[in-house]
Amino acid sequence: MVFGVDKDREAREAAAAGGAAGLSVNAYLWRATLDTLSFMPLASADPFGGTIITDWYTPAGATNERFRAQAYVLGRQLRSDGVKVQLFRQTLERGQWVDSPVSASTNADMEDKVLARARELRSQSAAR
């Protein structure tokens, strides 16, 4: 303890909450979101606001459609409602990119993948 501040206790509490130095959001959810969306080019990432935005990504063999994602890590707790992923889709029609719908289940599937990866990262961390 230095001058009345127990730095070890603060570090233990941050680790228990899944936080990391410099992050304002859950470290496991943050890393898991980056890992899950890593196949798409990253446009911006704000660990303090918990926002990840990708650039447009065209899957191999699908030259007439492209996707981008926005993900939000919503807090410091590792909870099922702690992440929101929204995918955007465009299709090429007569030489112009046109917005096309993405099913809600696709967004939910991406959120489930992030949560599964976050649980995996937490398990790996606890095993060390």
Side-chain angles (χ1 to χ4, degrees):
M1 188 178 325
V2 178
F3 298 111
V5 178
D6 187 351
K7 294 288 186 184
D8 291 334
R9 182 182 62 104
E10 289 177 359
R12 286 191 307 273
E13 288 174 356
L23 286 179
S24 297
V25 296
N26 183 276
Y28 299 122
L29 284 174
W30 178 256
R31 182 78 243 169
T33 304
L34 286 172
D35 288 355
T36 302
L37 296 176
S38 67
F39 68 96
M40 302 175 96
L42 186 64
S44 70
D46 175 11
F48 302 105
T51 304
I52 298 170
I53 301 172
T54 70
D55 205 350
W56 289 104
Y57 165 76
T58 301
T63 57
N64 65 338
E65 77 177 338
R66 64 186 187 173
F67 299 87
R68 76 177 187 87
Q70 289 183 353
Y72 306 96
V73 179
L74 303 172
R76 295 192 54 83
Q77 301 297 319
L78 177 53
R79 300 170 30 135
S80 61
D81 61 352
V83 66
K84 178 167 176 49
V85 178
Q86 187 171 12
L87 293 173
F88 300 91
R89 176 176 175 247
Q90 289 184 338
T91 54
L92 190 60
E93 297 178 13
R94 294 185 290 276
Q96 297 288 330
W97 289 105
V98 177
D99 291 337
S100 299
V102 174
S103 73
S105 65
T106 302
N107 293 326
D109 289 345
M110 289 299 283
E111 290 169 4
D112 289 344
K113 288 180 183 186
V114 168
L115 291 166
R117 178 68 179 139
R119 286 189 296 272
E120 181 182 333
L121 290 170
R122 183 180 63 189
S123 294
Q124 290 172 354
S125 177
R128 292 182 192 175

